[in-house]
Amino acid sequence: MLIKMLYNSFKNHNWIEIGIEAIWVAIYLEYSHRALISPYPDVLSGLLHHINDLYMPLVFAVVGCYCIVIALFDIRFLHAQLIATAMAQFMFTLLLIDFIDFDLHMGTLSWTTGFLMVVSLRLYIEPVRSALMVKLISRVANDQWDRK
């Protein structure tokens, strides 16, 4: 069982990385003491004020643990990876928008915004990359490397 989990961790390392990043964001949100309160009342700040609620670190921790579990046990039934992709994309994109809004109001660019941009970009590239890899592997397996 442990050897199978180790094999799955090498095969699904991207999901483990996304899970660790989500848990890191949960820890950051828990200990930042809701520092993202925008000083200017506008429509976007009104919509995104829930990022500073007490339950958001818990939601990020659950998403991170879910990503790690589907990676270690290689869960592929009931569209588990698609659900993980959708949850992580939604959560990280929402947080990125809130950080961009906060940075625009403060006139600075924080390193956390850059981190969230990289993570969000990875989350949007992951489904495309996995689909391309499946197509490439099927071509290699069927020996269809015709150059037309």
Side-chain angles (χ1 to χ4, degrees):
M1 179 75 169
L2 188 61
I3 294 173
K4 181 75 172 166
M5 287 176 64
L6 185 63
Y7 172 74
N8 289 338
S9 69
F10 285 122
K11 186 170 78 171
N12 301 321
H13 65 90
N14 194 28
W15 287 110
I16 293 175
E17 293 168 4
I18 291 169
I20 291 171
E21 290 163 352
I23 291 172
W24 180 86
V25 168
I27 292 169
Y28 176 79
L29 288 176
E30 181 65 31
Y31 291 106
S32 67
H33 299 293
R34 293 171 284 290
L36 292 174
I37 298 172
S38 181
Y40 304 106
D42 60 351
V43 175
L44 194 57
S45 296
L47 292 174
L48 296 172
H49 75 277
H50 292 293
I51 292 292
N52 296 314
D53 288 343
L54 295 174
Y55 62 86
M56 287 307 289
L58 179 65
V59 172
F60 271 98
V62 167
V63 168
C65 290
Y66 181 74
C67 290
I68 290 172
V69 166
I70 67 165
L72 289 179
F73 294 104
D74 199 25
I75 300 172
R76 296 194 181 271
F77 60 91
L78 296 177
H79 306 288
Q81 291 183 345
L82 183 62
I83 292 169
T85 302
M87 285 191 314
Q89 282 178 346
F90 175 74
M91 296 303 297
F92 278 105
T93 305
L94 184 68
L95 191 63
L96 174 66
I97 291 169
D98 192 36
F99 267 90
I100 288 173
D101 178 53
F102 182 76
D103 288 347
L104 287 175
H105 285 301
M106 292 293 133
T108 63
L109 182 65
S110 65
W111 64 272
T112 312
T113 307
F115 166 76
L116 289 170
M117 282 183 194
V118 170
V119 171
S120 296
L121 183 65
R122 281 182 56 215
L123 285 169
Y124 284 103
I125 289 175
E126 172 61 25
V128 175
R129 185 192 63 84
S130 63
L132 289 176
M133 289 303 289
V134 166
K135 188 172 183 177
L136 179 69
I137 290 171
S138 67
R139 283 187 156 207
V140 169
N142 296 332
D143 198 24
Q144 297 175 348
W145 288 96
D146 299 330
R147 296 181 189 244
K148 295 179 182 179

